[in-house]
Amino acid sequence: MGAKLHNIATWEKIFPTKQIEHVYYTTDMLVRKVTGYITVTRRTLMNGMVTNITRRKRVRWDGCGRCYNINNNNRLRDYDIHFTD
């Protein structure tokens, strides 16, 4: 698996389910970093009943598609983007 940067057209094909907030480019107009949101469900206890709460979590992807938490460098492998080229 190589670390290859992609252009914005390749990224836009993948993002109908995730939301892009900001795109950072290299000098060659390849995507270096993307910040955005993912939807996360969390089980919580409310009034004695277990319920699922959905919320938007702010994350960033590097140019190769690896996902990280926006506040620290925790890797979120479940939300990595896998390019098919």
Side-chain angles (χ1 to χ4, degrees):
M1 182 174 141
K4 178 184 173 190
L5 298 179
H6 300 277
N7 59 8
I8 190 64
T10 309
W11 280 85
E12 285 177 344
K13 282 191 250 179
I14 293 175
F15 270 97
T17 58
K18 301 174 183 73
Q19 184 169 351
I20 296 175
E21 183 181 70
H22 195 276
V23 179
Y24 299 88
Y25 294 100
T26 62
T27 55
D28 298 333
M29 292 308 292
L30 296 174
V31 175
R32 179 176 57 91
K33 181 170 65 171
V34 175
T35 60
Y37 295 95
I38 55 174
T39 303
V40 179
T41 58
R42 178 180 287 176
R43 294 182 65 175
T44 59
L45 187 65
M46 293 178 68
N47 297 330
M49 298 192 59
V50 176
T51 58
N52 291 331
I53 294 178
T54 60
R55 65 181 185 98
R56 291 187 343 163
K57 182 177 182 126
R58 195 157 177 243
V59 295
R60 67 178 168 85
W61 291 270
D62 63 0
C64 304
R66 294 181 292 249
C67 185
Y68 298 92
N69 190 343
I70 196 77
N71 296 324
N72 52 34
N73 272 344
N74 287 348
R75 178 86 183 274
L76 303 173
R77 286 184 172 84
D78 293 339
Y79 302 102
D80 284 352
I81 296 172
H82 303 286
F83 296 99
T84 58
D85 46 272

